[in-house]
Amino acid sequence: MSSAFGVLRFLSLLTFSILALGAGPALSQEFTFDAKANEKMAKRLQIPVFFAVPESAYAPLPKLTKTSDRLLAFKHPDANGSNVGLRLFVANRSGLSKRLAKSGLVQTGDLLLTFRAEWGGAGAYPNIQMGISHTGIAYVKDGAVHNLDNPMDQVYLGPRLNGDLTSEHYRTLNLIHVIRPRGLTGQQRANILGWATRLGGSASKVYPSQIKFNTDYNAPKYKSGRPVEFVKQLGQIALGQNPPGTIDLYCSEFAWSLLSLKDCDPKTSGDAFKASGIPACVKQPMQPMEAVGTFVGSRNKSSNAGLADGPLLVVDALKLPDAKRRAVLQSVFDENPERASKMSIGHQQMSKSVQSNFTYLRSYYVTAISDNVLTRSSARVRGAFIRSIVTVNYSPTSFLVNTLLPPDNSNRTMDYVATILIE
């Protein structure tokens, strides 16, 4: 009897140990590089190198909980030995929102940028946008990642408006960049969750009667030096205070406004939103950008990036010889009608409307990071002119561009987390 009991006890302890090991720290995962997988992924993505990002843009990540999805550290084949690439979370579509939450990859307050790899090389507009066409915001609730977007309709939030990444928009996507506001505290995430659930839960009531979609991305509500009344109004709508009039916000403007509420607790800030003036807790999450920034000209810790600086900053990180660098920068402005036809009608129209500005931008690009001091000096003059003709803004791409500033830059408020590749 005692011998049999000893065997059973040994087997029980062995089983417990195996289960314990399986549930412990060993079941974690990191993004790893594999040469063969990298080659296959390069052929699959077929993106220009300036659609990737330097490693300095990456968010620090803890080890993620073990998942059935693959985590690949992709290095672009044209990176010239530099660490320019993407963190790829290669995932099956079914059950994605729950696996993302369980893995810990996506957190409340993260930005979800729609990434169109097929835009690569299509022309100046899609290249400058780095293939990004839309911005949503993520929040984690009941063990799943949810999305909140404007338009707050079935196309983006799904038939039941519950935003679980299964709407028509997200169901037909293959790539999503995840961008994380830096240094969010637990309380700030709780606040964002509160605002997001209030807005998402009342979407059928407030859209489009109180919140509409701004179709003109060149007409932001933000004006330098003026109060952000539109952010206050968004908060009032979320709190059910029914302010007079409506606000129309495009996708990235909506996300920027929601993140501006991160220091406001929706449970306790009702009176502040009823009072005159802007509540003291409203703080912008990222400085809206001018057309081109000052970083490439000054490279100091307080310089900024610009809306159109994305490819320029990526190419700068490649440390190419001057002639080769000029060739890559020129390719940003090469037109490919076949690829351009893959853009939506709205983006094709936007491309045509800003085409005249690209003449100035091309000259700026090929001179801004030249090895020649006099050439760089002339670029500063061109940059000042471009800034004078374009309104400050927060385009969908601007959140990714912000991550391209050095980590110690005072204007850097965003980090690149990863790119979700949905199979």
Side-chain angles (χ1 to χ4, degrees), residues 381-400:
V381 176
R382 292 186 177 94
F385 173 73
I386 294 169
R387 285 192 289 271
S388 72
I389 61 175
V390 179
T391 304
V392 294
N393 210 330
Y394 26 49
S395 67
T397 310
S398 65
F399 300 110
L400 181 60

Side-chain angles (χ1 to χ4, degrees), residues 350-369:
M350 178 65 75
S351 177
K352 291 178 182 178
S353 71
V354 297
Q355 191 66 37
S356 59
N357 292 335
F358 293 139
T359 301
Y360 307 113
L361 192 63
R362 181 197 292 264
S363 298
Y364 172 76
Y365 255 52
V366 297
T367 56
I369 54 176

Side-chain angles (χ1 to χ4, degrees), residues 331-351:
S331 73
V332 174
F333 299 89
D334 292 343
E335 300 291 328
N336 185 319
E338 182 181 350
R339 286 207 161 203
S341 67
K342 297 178 181 179
M343 293 191 296
S344 69
I345 297 298
H347 282 289
Q348 289 183 44
Q349 292 172 344
M350 178 65 75
S351 177

Side-chain angles (χ1 to χ4, degrees), residues 223-292:
K223 305 296 179 186
S224 298
R226 294 179 60 181
V228 285
E229 293 286 351
F230 61 99
V231 176
K232 178 182 180 181
Q233 190 170 351
L234 180 65
Q236 290 174 322
I237 293 169
L239 293 170
Q241 295 178 356
N242 298 317
T246 62
I247 50 171
D248 58 329
L249 306 169
Y250 48 81
C251 61
S252 51
E253 184 168 49
F254 177 80
W256 187 93
S257 301
L258 183 54
L259 287 178
S260 294
L261 300 172
K262 65 184 182 298
D263 288 319
C264 306
D265 186 340
K267 296 177 182 177
T268 61
S269 59
D271 289 343
F273 281 85
K274 289 178 182 177
S276 61
I278 306 300
C281 61
V282 172
K283 299 173 184 176
Q284 63 184 39
M286 179 187 75
Q287 181 181 344
M289 296 180 179
E290 296 181 297
V292 297

